Amino acid sequence: MVKKMDFHIHTISSGKDYDFTYSSEWMKEYVQKAELDAIAITNHDMFDLENYLQVKEDISNIKIFPGMELSLEEGHVNIVFPEENIDDLVKFSDWLKKQNLGEKGKISTEDFCQNMNNWEKGIYIFELGKSNSLAVPKKLSDVTAVGGVSNQLKFQVIHKKEHLLTPVLFSDAHASLDEPEQKRRNINLLMNKNTFLQIDNCTFTEIKNCISDRSKVGINKENLSNVINIGNHKVSTGLNLIVGKRGTGKTKFLKRVREQYELEEIYAIEQFETAKADEYINEQRKEQGHSNFNNWKKQYASQFSAIRKYLSLPTNDLTKELETYLSSVKNFAKETVASNSKSKYQLIKESNFENKSISNLEEYLISLKKIIGSEDFWSLLKNSSEKKLVFIETYMELRNLYIEKRLNNEIQNRVNVILNSVKDIVESKTGISPVSQCEFAKIIHKNQTEKAINKFMVEIVNEKVLRTENIHGYKIIVKLQPFKNADQFRRDQSTKEAVSDDLMGPYQREDYITFLHNLKKKSFFNISNLEEYILHLDAELLDSDGTPASGGQAVGFALMMRLEQAKNKPIILIDEPEASLDNAYIRQELIKTIKELAIESTVFVVTHNSTLGTLLEPDYLIVTTKSGKDNYHTLSGEFSSHLISEKIGNFESSYEKFVEAMESGIEAYNKKGEIYESLRN
């Protein structure tokens, strides 16, 4: 025989619950509707004998076991005991009360075992999949232990894993009509959170022996594998097909699935409208494009870093400085020729020394010092002392070089001061104007930098395919292209600022230095987004023939990408995915993808498409019908059995109802066959 039990019900509120009042009416209704043979009362950190006796009186036709949900330091555990241990529970509950645990109070496993007589006789239910879950403590390793789960899907997943505890379902219900949390008292939901045990009677010993053998524990009376209940209807943990005429309750059935499982466990794909598909495709293009664009940016990270550094420098007009210098040379030449003392004052012709930059040496020294001082870094290496010594020697050598160059620069600066003073004296004595100062090294460096930048820009401002990928019969091509015009540039940067003459003009002439300097003046310019001003990013969607995808094909692609995203969800709801898809694509791509999803997830597919409905070959068929204004019927059964039934268990053939949903009835089905035959002949 098979008996049905709820291992975890609350009947009294504690500091860890919302306030609620025990209801005899609720308890009687729950036991009747759920068809329970036994329950366990497990209130938070307490056992109330008076309440226990009240529950026994209210539902005297089933077995009631005493117990407690206990807050151990390691986590929560539900413990169920035989009736013979009631006195032990009462004493332990009184002891707990004296500890003043409060809302978050916990006790150690050691304290529990010392103060709970006959603790080893209980059944221990360690809740799985919760933040306060705990592994079986060493002290309790010899007790009879199972893993508590909150829904049928989790039960099936854990039941398949032999190395885990045998799972049991429990409701965690609050036996009350005034409990604020609806899901804690909603009988229609809670009645699907019970465990079936292969026992003849509900004695504690039988239950204890039964749960030690996972093959004798299940979530349906027939002990079927891979079957769960939605409402009272059996469905598969794999692939389920929902069919029926429009307005017969298919959406209502999906709503029941949503009510029975947590929102984060469900991935729903609603009826796929073209407008929504376009929006999704644009998101996908953006996502695909930016992912590859980031990889491209990394490829040229050092070059763009150099351009940023160039743009961040003050805009000094070194060309004017050079012109001023040349003009001063001409004046100096004229005045020297005119002067009779020209041969006596050669010093006035001398140029100043130019300092050599040592900023790179400073950066190297800072980096080396940081590495040498990092204990974390050296702890990762073998023979770290020897290796560290090499770094120290390198640092010292570089430091000496830095000091030498810095000293040399200081000497040159002092010489320059002396030269300038002498030139001033000579000028005052002779009337000859000295040649103005000009930093040739800076001018040459700037000129070479600009040449290198322009050359680099010429090389990269070309069309480049970043990625080509075939996905579910479609091809995505992500590429970078030169900006075609000012409008395209403005759209990419989301600006209305004029860019035609000062940006697009030099851009198209390959005068990228002017382009960059003018770009720097724009209000929308952000130096961290530099790469985005250089090229236009585009992601094309092509069909299998390599031509741009049509609207219908784009919808198909968007759907397939949504199915790809659904992979990690336990429950997947797919409502009429056939919109805008041709039957060839449904047969070749969609059906294959849905079946792959059903290997790891529980999938529900609603369809009116005969190709999808007939070729999908689901594990379970769910048929919805309607009779009267608000009277809906749901029948379900294994697809291969050709039988479906309502919850009351009256079986009937699935053939007529399936053909009616897929082909609008037997008559239409036969007529279509005749037309196909006439075309063939």
Side-chain angles (χ1 to χ4, degrees), residues 276-327:
K276 290 181 181 177
D278 288 343
E279 182 183 319
Y280 182 78
I281 289 162
N282 286 333
E283 285 177 15
Q284 283 297 314
R285 281 189 171 127
K286 224 178 257 182
E287 188 179 314
Q288 296 276 344
H290 284 302
S291 170
N292 291 281
F293 186 49
N294 287 334
N295 292 335
W296 178 81
K297 286 198 289 186
K298 287 175 187 175
Q299 184 182 348
Y300 297 108
S302 60
Q303 289 92 330
F304 282 113
S305 176
I307 297 174
R308 283 188 177 89
K309 190 173 181 181
Y310 167 77
L311 289 175
S312 65
L313 295 173
T315 312
N316 296 327
D317 195 344
L318 297 179
T319 306
K320 282 188 178 178
E321 186 179 319
L322 183 60
E323 288 173 356
T324 303
Y325 170 77
L326 293 173
S327 177

Short mmCIF file of all heavy atoms in Angstrom, two decimals, residues 276-327:
data_model
loop_
_atom_site.label_atom_id
_atom_site.label_comp_id
_atom_site.label_asym_id
_atom_site.label_seq_id
_atom_site.Cartn_x
_atom_site.Cartn_y
_atom_site.Cartn_z
N LYS A 276 7.73 42.93 -30.44
CA LYS A 276 8.61 42.54 -29.33
C LYS A 276 9.87 41.87 -29.88
O LYS A 276 10.95 42.02 -29.32
CB LYS A 276 7.87 41.58 -28.39
CG LYS A 276 6.78 42.26 -27.59
CD LYS A 276 6.10 41.26 -26.66
CE LYS A 276 4.98 41.92 -25.88
NZ LYS A 276 4.26 40.95 -25.02
N ALA A 277 9.69 41.10 -30.95
CA ALA A 277 10.85 40.42 -31.54
C ALA A 277 11.86 41.43 -32.06
O ALA A 277 13.06 41.28 -31.86
CB ALA A 277 10.39 39.50 -32.68
N ASP A 278 11.37 42.49 -32.72
CA ASP A 278 12.28 43.53 -33.25
C ASP A 278 13.08 44.16 -32.12
O ASP A 278 14.29 44.38 -32.25
CB ASP A 278 11.48 44.62 -33.97
CG ASP A 278 10.91 44.13 -35.30
OD1 ASP A 278 11.41 43.09 -35.78
OD2 ASP A 278 9.99 44.75 -35.83
N GLU A 279 12.39 44.43 -31.02
CA GLU A 279 13.06 45.03 -29.86
C GLU A 279 14.13 44.08 -29.32
O GLU A 279 15.25 44.49 -29.00
CB GLU A 279 12.00 45.31 -28.79
CG GLU A 279 12.53 45.97 -27.54
CD GLU A 279 11.42 46.14 -26.51
OE1 GLU A 279 10.28 46.49 -26.90
OE2 GLU A 279 11.70 45.90 -25.33
N TYR A 280 13.79 42.81 -29.26
CA TYR A 280 14.73 41.81 -28.73
C TYR A 280 15.94 41.66 -29.67
O TYR A 280 17.08 41.54 -29.22
CB TYR A 280 14.03 40.47 -28.55
CG TYR A 280 14.92 39.41 -27.97
CD1 TYR A 280 15.19 39.39 -26.61
CD2 TYR A 280 15.50 38.44 -28.78
CE1 TYR A 280 16.02 38.42 -26.07
CE2 TYR A 280 16.34 37.49 -28.25
CZ TYR A 280 16.59 37.47 -26.89
OH TYR A 280 17.42 36.52 -26.36
N ILE A 281 15.66 41.66 -30.98
CA ILE A 281 16.75 41.51 -31.96
C ILE A 281 17.73 42.67 -31.84
O ILE A 281 18.94 42.48 -31.89
CB ILE A 281 16.18 41.42 -33.39
CG1 ILE A 281 15.47 40.07 -33.57
CG2 ILE A 281 17.27 41.55 -34.43
CD1 ILE A 281 14.53 40.04 -34.74
N ASN A 282 17.20 43.89 -31.69
CA ASN A 282 18.08 45.05 -31.53
C ASN A 282 18.96 44.92 -30.29
O ASN A 282 20.14 45.25 -30.31
CB ASN A 282 17.25 46.33 -31.46
CG ASN A 282 16.69 46.72 -32.82
OD1 ASN A 282 17.27 46.40 -33.85
ND2 ASN A 282 15.56 47.40 -32.82
N GLU A 283 18.38 44.40 -29.22
CA GLU A 283 19.16 44.15 -28.00
C GLU A 283 20.26 43.14 -28.28
O GLU A 283 21.40 43.29 -27.83
CB GLU A 283 18.25 43.63 -26.89
CG GLU A 283 17.37 44.70 -26.27
CD GLU A 283 16.43 44.11 -25.23
OE1 GLU A 283 16.66 42.97 -24.81
OE2 GLU A 283 15.48 44.80 -24.86
N GLN A 284 19.90 42.08 -29.01
CA GLN A 284 20.88 41.03 -29.32
C GLN A 284 22.01 41.58 -30.19
O GLN A 284 23.18 41.28 -29.96
CB GLN A 284 20.19 39.86 -30.04
CG GLN A 284 19.41 38.96 -29.13
CD GLN A 284 20.29 38.28 -28.11
OE1 GLN A 284 21.35 37.76 -28.44
NE2 GLN A 284 19.87 38.30 -26.86
N ARG A 285 21.63 42.40 -31.18
CA ARG A 285 22.65 43.01 -32.06
C ARG A 285 23.63 43.83 -31.22
O ARG A 285 24.83 43.78 -31.40
CB ARG A 285 21.97 43.90 -33.10
CG ARG A 285 21.36 43.11 -34.26
CD ARG A 285 20.91 44.06 -35.36
NE ARG A 285 20.52 43.34 -36.54
CZ ARG A 285 19.36 43.49 -37.16
NH1 ARG A 285 18.47 44.32 -36.69
NH2 ARG A 285 19.07 42.80 -38.25
N LYS A 286 23.03 44.63 -30.31
CA LYS A 286 23.86 45.47 -29.45
C LYS A 286 24.79 44.62 -28.59
O LYS A 286 25.99 44.88 -28.49
CB LYS A 286 22.93 46.31 -28.55
CG LYS A 286 23.34 47.76 -28.43
CD LYS A 286 22.36 48.52 -27.57
CE LYS A 286 21.45 49.36 -28.43
NZ LYS A 286 20.52 50.17 -27.63
N GLU A 287 24.21 43.59 -27.99
CA GLU A 287 24.99 42.72 -27.09
C GLU A 287 26.10 42.00 -27.84
O GLU A 287 27.25 41.97 -27.39
CB GLU A 287 24.03 41.71 -26.44
CG GLU A 287 24.67 40.89 -25.35
CD GLU A 287 23.69 39.92 -24.73
OE1 GLU A 287 22.55 40.32 -24.42
OE2 GLU A 287 24.06 38.75 -24.56
N GLN A 288 25.74 41.41 -28.99
CA GLN A 288 26.72 40.69 -29.80
C GLN A 288 27.82 41.65 -30.27
O GLN A 288 29.01 41.34 -30.23
CB GLN A 288 26.05 40.06 -31.03
CG GLN A 288 25.01 39.00 -30.70
CD GLN A 288 25.64 37.65 -30.47
OE1 GLN A 288 26.78 37.41 -30.83
NE2 GLN A 288 24.90 36.75 -29.86
N GLY A 289 27.39 42.86 -30.71
CA GLY A 289 28.33 43.83 -31.23
C GLY A 289 29.31 44.32 -30.18
O GLY A 289 30.52 44.32 -30.39
N HIS A 290 28.80 44.73 -29.03
CA HIS A 290 29.67 45.29 -28.00
C HIS A 290 30.64 44.26 -27.44
O HIS A 290 31.77 44.58 -27.10
CB HIS A 290 28.82 45.89 -26.87
CG HIS A 290 28.22 47.20 -27.24
ND1 HIS A 290 28.97 48.28 -27.64
CD2 HIS A 290 26.92 47.62 -27.31
CE1 HIS A 290 28.17 49.30 -27.92
NE2 HIS A 290 26.93 48.92 -27.74
N SER A 291 30.19 43.02 -27.36
CA SER A 291 31.08 41.96 -26.88
C SER A 291 32.30 41.83 -27.79
O SER A 291 33.45 41.76 -27.31
CB SER A 291 30.32 40.63 -26.83
OG SER A 291 31.19 39.58 -26.58
N ASN A 292 32.07 41.82 -29.09
CA ASN A 292 33.18 41.70 -30.05
C ASN A 292 33.98 43.00 -30.18
O ASN A 292 35.18 42.99 -30.40
CB ASN A 292 32.63 41.29 -31.42
CG ASN A 292 32.12 39.87 -31.41
OD1 ASN A 292 32.88 38.92 -31.48
ND2 ASN A 292 30.81 39.70 -31.28
N PHE A 293 33.28 44.14 -30.05
CA PHE A 293 33.94 45.43 -30.11
C PHE A 293 34.94 45.57 -28.96
O PHE A 293 36.05 46.09 -29.13
CB PHE A 293 32.89 46.54 -30.05
CG PHE A 293 33.46 47.92 -30.26
CD1 PHE A 293 34.31 48.19 -31.32
CD2 PHE A 293 33.15 48.96 -29.39
CE1 PHE A 293 34.83 49.46 -31.52
CE2 PHE A 293 33.66 50.22 -29.58
CZ PHE A 293 34.50 50.48 -30.65
N ASN A 294 34.57 45.07 -27.78
CA ASN A 294 35.48 45.11 -26.63
C ASN A 294 36.74 44.29 -26.88
O ASN A 294 37.84 44.67 -26.49
CB ASN A 294 34.77 44.62 -25.37
CG ASN A 294 33.77 45.63 -24.85
OD1 ASN A 294 33.91 46.82 -25.09
ND2 ASN A 294 32.75 45.17 -24.16
N ASN A 295 36.56 43.16 -27.54
CA ASN A 295 37.74 42.33 -27.90
C ASN A 295 38.65 43.07 -28.88
O ASN A 295 39.87 42.99 -28.79
CB ASN A 295 37.28 41.00 -28.51
CG ASN A 295 36.60 40.12 -27.49
OD1 ASN A 295 36.86 40.25 -26.29
ND2 ASN A 295 35.73 39.23 -27.94
N TRP A 296 38.01 43.77 -29.83
CA TRP A 296 38.79 44.54 -30.82
C TRP A 296 39.56 45.66 -30.12
O TRP A 296 40.73 45.91 -30.42
CB TRP A 296 37.83 45.13 -31.86
CG TRP A 296 38.50 45.98 -32.89
CD1 TRP A 296 39.18 45.57 -34.01
CD2 TRP A 296 38.57 47.41 -32.91
NE1 TRP A 296 39.66 46.64 -34.71
CE2 TRP A 296 39.30 47.80 -34.06
CE3 TRP A 296 38.08 48.40 -32.07
CZ2 TRP A 296 39.54 49.12 -34.38
CZ3 TRP A 296 38.32 49.73 -32.38
CH2 TRP A 296 39.05 50.08 -33.53
N LYS A 297 38.93 46.33 -29.15
CA LYS A 297 39.59 47.41 -28.42
C LYS A 297 40.82 46.91 -27.66
O LYS A 297 41.85 47.58 -27.61
CB LYS A 297 38.60 48.06 -27.43
CG LYS A 297 37.57 48.94 -28.09
CD LYS A 297 36.91 49.89 -27.11
CE LYS A 297 36.00 49.18 -26.16
NZ LYS A 297 35.26 50.12 -25.30
N LYS A 298 40.69 45.72 -27.09
CA LYS A 298 41.83 45.13 -26.35
C LYS A 298 43.01 44.89 -27.29
O LYS A 298 44.17 45.02 -26.90
CB LYS A 298 41.41 43.81 -25.70
CG LYS A 298 40.50 43.98 -24.50
CD LYS A 298 40.03 42.64 -23.98
CE LYS A 298 39.00 42.81 -22.88
NZ LYS A 298 38.44 41.52 -22.45
N GLN A 299 42.70 44.53 -28.55
CA GLN A 299 43.74 44.25 -29.54
C GLN A 299 44.62 45.49 -29.78
O GLN A 299 45.82 45.38 -30.02
CB GLN A 299 43.07 43.80 -30.85
CG GLN A 299 44.04 43.39 -31.94
CD GLN A 299 43.29 42.99 -33.21
OE1 GLN A 299 42.08 42.82 -33.23
NE2 GLN A 299 44.03 42.86 -34.30
N TYR A 300 44.00 46.68 -29.71
CA TYR A 300 44.73 47.93 -29.97
C TYR A 300 44.81 48.80 -28.72
O TYR A 300 44.88 50.03 -28.81
CB TYR A 300 44.03 48.71 -31.09
CG TYR A 300 44.02 47.98 -32.42
CD1 TYR A 300 42.84 47.43 -32.92
CD2 TYR A 300 45.19 47.81 -33.15
CE1 TYR A 300 42.82 46.74 -34.13
CE2 TYR A 300 45.18 47.14 -34.37
CZ TYR A 300 43.99 46.60 -34.85
OH TYR A 300 43.99 45.92 -36.04
N ALA A 301 44.84 48.17 -27.57
CA ALA A 301 44.81 48.91 -26.30
C ALA A 301 45.98 49.87 -26.17
O ALA A 301 45.81 51.02 -25.75
CB ALA A 301 44.79 47.93 -25.13
N SER A 302 47.19 49.43 -26.54
CA SER A 302 48.37 50.28 -26.36
C SER A 302 48.32 51.49 -27.29
O SER A 302 48.69 52.61 -26.91
CB SER A 302 49.65 49.47 -26.60
OG SER A 302 49.67 48.94 -27.91
N GLN A 303 47.85 51.29 -28.54
CA GLN A 303 47.78 52.40 -29.50
C GLN A 303 46.76 53.45 -29.04
O GLN A 303 47.04 54.66 -29.07
CB GLN A 303 47.39 51.90 -30.90
CG GLN A 303 48.50 51.11 -31.59
CD GLN A 303 48.39 49.62 -31.35
OE1 GLN A 303 47.92 49.19 -30.30
NE2 GLN A 303 48.85 48.83 -32.31
N PHE A 304 45.58 52.99 -28.59
CA PHE A 304 44.57 53.95 -28.14
C PHE A 304 44.99 54.63 -26.84
O PHE A 304 44.63 55.78 -26.59
CB PHE A 304 43.21 53.26 -27.99
CG PHE A 304 42.51 53.05 -29.30
CD1 PHE A 304 42.29 51.78 -29.81
CD2 PHE A 304 42.08 54.14 -30.05
CE1 PHE A 304 41.66 51.58 -31.02
CE2 PHE A 304 41.44 53.95 -31.27
CZ PHE A 304 41.23 52.69 -31.76
N SER A 305 45.75 53.92 -26.03
CA SER A 305 46.27 54.53 -24.80
C SER A 305 47.22 55.68 -25.15
O SER A 305 47.19 56.75 -24.52
CB SER A 305 47.01 53.47 -23.97
OG SER A 305 47.61 54.04 -22.85
N ALA A 306 48.04 55.48 -26.20
CA ALA A 306 48.98 56.52 -26.64
C ALA A 306 48.21 57.72 -27.21
O ALA A 306 48.59 58.88 -26.96
CB ALA A 306 49.92 55.95 -27.70
N ILE A 307 47.12 57.48 -27.95
CA ILE A 307 46.32 58.58 -28.51
C ILE A 307 45.65 59.37 -27.38
O ILE A 307 45.61 60.60 -27.40
CB ILE A 307 45.27 58.05 -29.51
CG1 ILE A 307 45.96 57.40 -30.71
CG2 ILE A 307 44.35 59.18 -29.97
CD1 ILE A 307 45.02 56.73 -31.68
N ARG A 308 45.14 58.65 -26.36
CA ARG A 308 44.54 59.33 -25.21
C ARG A 308 45.57 60.23 -24.52
O ARG A 308 45.26 61.35 -24.12
CB ARG A 308 44.00 58.30 -24.22
CG ARG A 308 42.69 57.66 -24.63
CD ARG A 308 42.11 56.79 -23.50
NE ARG A 308 40.82 56.25 -23.90
CZ ARG A 308 40.66 55.09 -24.55
NH1 ARG A 308 41.73 54.36 -24.84
NH2 ARG A 308 39.47 54.67 -24.89
N LYS A 309 46.77 59.70 -24.37
CA LYS A 309 47.84 60.47 -23.72
C LYS A 309 48.14 61.73 -24.54
O LYS A 309 48.31 62.82 -23.99
CB LYS A 309 49.09 59.59 -23.60
CG LYS A 309 50.18 60.19 -22.73
CD LYS A 309 51.30 59.19 -22.51
CE LYS A 309 52.39 59.78 -21.62
NZ LYS A 309 53.50 58.82 -21.42
N TYR A 310 48.19 61.58 -25.86
CA TYR A 310 48.45 62.71 -26.76
C TYR A 310 47.35 63.77 -26.63
O TYR A 310 47.64 64.96 -26.53
CB TYR A 310 48.52 62.19 -28.20
CG TYR A 310 48.49 63.26 -29.26
CD1 TYR A 310 49.61 64.03 -29.54
CD2 TYR A 310 47.31 63.51 -29.98
CE1 TYR A 310 49.57 65.02 -30.52
CE2 TYR A 310 47.26 64.48 -30.96
CZ TYR A 310 48.40 65.24 -31.22
OH TYR A 310 48.36 66.21 -32.19
N LEU A 311 46.07 63.30 -26.58
CA LEU A 311 44.95 64.24 -26.49
C LEU A 311 44.85 64.91 -25.12
O LEU A 311 44.27 65.99 -24.99
CB LEU A 311 43.63 63.52 -26.81
CG LEU A 311 43.43 63.11 -28.27
CD1 LEU A 311 42.16 62.29 -28.42
CD2 LEU A 311 43.38 64.34 -29.18
N SER A 312 45.37 64.25 -24.11
CA SER A 312 45.27 64.80 -22.75
C SER A 312 46.31 65.90 -22.49
O SER A 312 46.21 66.64 -21.52
CB SER A 312 45.44 63.69 -21.71
OG SER A 312 46.75 63.13 -21.79
N LEU A 313 47.32 66.02 -23.38
CA LEU A 313 48.35 67.06 -23.21
C LEU A 313 47.80 68.43 -23.59
O LEU A 313 46.89 68.53 -24.43
CB LEU A 313 49.57 66.74 -24.10
CG LEU A 313 50.34 65.46 -23.75
CD1 LEU A 313 51.40 65.19 -24.81
CD2 LEU A 313 50.99 65.58 -22.36
N PRO A 314 48.33 69.51 -22.98
CA PRO A 314 47.87 70.87 -23.36
C PRO A 314 48.12 71.12 -24.84
O PRO A 314 49.12 70.65 -25.41
CB PRO A 314 48.76 71.79 -22.51
CG PRO A 314 49.29 70.93 -21.42
CD PRO A 314 49.37 69.54 -21.95
N THR A 315 47.22 71.84 -25.47
CA THR A 315 47.35 72.10 -26.91
C THR A 315 48.28 73.28 -27.13
O THR A 315 47.84 74.42 -27.34
CB THR A 315 45.96 72.36 -27.53
OG1 THR A 315 45.07 71.36 -27.10
CG2 THR A 315 46.03 72.37 -29.05
N ASN A 316 49.60 73.05 -27.08
CA ASN A 316 50.60 74.10 -27.35
C ASN A 316 50.87 74.16 -28.85
O ASN A 316 51.10 73.13 -29.48
CB ASN A 316 51.92 73.80 -26.62
CG ASN A 316 51.73 73.83 -25.12
OD1 ASN A 316 50.91 74.58 -24.62
ND2 ASN A 316 52.48 72.99 -24.42
N ASP A 317 50.84 75.38 -29.40
CA ASP A 317 51.08 75.53 -30.84
C ASP A 317 52.59 75.62 -31.07
O ASP A 317 53.18 76.72 -31.11
CB ASP A 317 50.37 76.78 -31.37
CG ASP A 317 50.30 76.75 -32.90
OD1 ASP A 317 51.05 75.95 -33.51
OD2 ASP A 317 49.53 77.52 -33.46
N LEU A 318 53.22 74.46 -31.21
CA LEU A 318 54.67 74.41 -31.42
C LEU A 318 55.06 74.94 -32.80
O LEU A 318 56.21 75.32 -33.04
CB LEU A 318 55.17 72.98 -31.23
CG LEU A 318 54.98 72.40 -29.81
CD1 LEU A 318 55.49 70.98 -29.75
CD2 LEU A 318 55.68 73.26 -28.78
N THR A 319 54.11 74.98 -33.73
CA THR A 319 54.39 75.52 -35.07
C THR A 319 54.70 77.02 -34.98
O THR A 319 55.64 77.53 -35.61
CB THR A 319 53.18 75.31 -36.01
OG1 THR A 319 52.84 73.93 -35.99
CG2 THR A 319 53.50 75.73 -37.44
N LYS A 320 53.92 77.72 -34.15
CA LYS A 320 54.16 79.15 -33.96
C LYS A 320 55.50 79.39 -33.28
O LYS A 320 56.22 80.34 -33.58
CB LYS A 320 53.03 79.76 -33.12
CG LYS A 320 51.75 79.99 -33.91
CD LYS A 320 50.74 80.75 -33.08
CE LYS A 320 49.48 81.01 -33.91
NZ LYS A 320 48.45 81.72 -33.12
N GLU A 321 55.81 78.48 -32.33
CA GLU A 321 57.10 78.59 -31.63
C GLU A 321 58.26 78.46 -32.62
O GLU A 321 59.26 79.18 -32.54
CB GLU A 321 57.19 77.49 -30.56
CG GLU A 321 58.43 77.60 -29.68
CD GLU A 321 58.47 76.51 -28.61
OE1 GLU A 321 57.41 76.21 -28.03
OE2 GLU A 321 59.57 75.96 -28.39
N LEU A 322 58.10 77.53 -33.59
CA LEU A 322 59.14 77.34 -34.61
C LEU A 322 59.24 78.57 -35.52
O LEU A 322 60.34 79.02 -35.88
CB LEU A 322 58.81 76.09 -35.44
CG LEU A 322 59.83 75.68 -36.50
CD1 LEU A 322 61.20 75.40 -35.86
CD2 LEU A 322 59.35 74.46 -37.27
N GLU A 323 58.08 79.14 -35.88
CA GLU A 323 58.08 80.33 -36.74
C GLU A 323 58.75 81.50 -36.01
O GLU A 323 59.52 82.28 -36.61
CB GLU A 323 56.64 80.70 -37.11
CG GLU A 323 56.02 79.75 -38.12
CD GLU A 323 54.55 80.03 -38.34
OE1 GLU A 323 53.99 80.92 -37.66
OE2 GLU A 323 53.95 79.35 -39.20
N THR A 324 58.47 81.64 -34.73
CA THR A 324 59.10 82.70 -33.93
C THR A 324 60.60 82.51 -33.89
O THR A 324 61.39 83.47 -34.00
CB THR A 324 58.52 82.68 -32.50
OG1 THR A 324 57.11 82.83 -32.57
CG2 THR A 324 59.12 83.80 -31.66
N TYR A 325 61.01 81.27 -33.74
CA TYR A 325 62.44 80.95 -33.70
C TYR A 325 63.12 81.34 -35.02
O TYR A 325 64.17 81.99 -35.03
CB TYR A 325 62.62 79.46 -33.42
CG TYR A 325 64.05 78.99 -33.60
CD1 TYR A 325 65.03 79.26 -32.64
CD2 TYR A 325 64.42 78.31 -34.76
CE1 TYR A 325 66.34 78.85 -32.83
CE2 TYR A 325 65.73 77.89 -34.95
CZ TYR A 325 66.69 78.16 -33.98
OH TYR A 325 67.99 77.76 -34.15
N LEU A 326 62.52 80.94 -36.14
CA LEU A 326 63.11 81.24 -37.45
C LEU A 326 63.18 82.75 -37.68
O LEU A 326 64.16 83.27 -38.25
CB LEU A 326 62.30 80.56 -38.56
CG LEU A 326 62.35 79.03 -38.59
CD1 LEU A 326 61.38 78.47 -39.61
CD2 LEU A 326 63.77 78.56 -38.90
N SER A 327 62.15 83.45 -37.26
CA SER A 327 62.13 84.91 -37.40
C SER A 327 63.26 85.54 -36.58
O SER A 327 63.94 86.47 -37.05
CB SER A 327 60.77 85.44 -36.94
OG SER A 327 60.76 86.84 -36.99
#
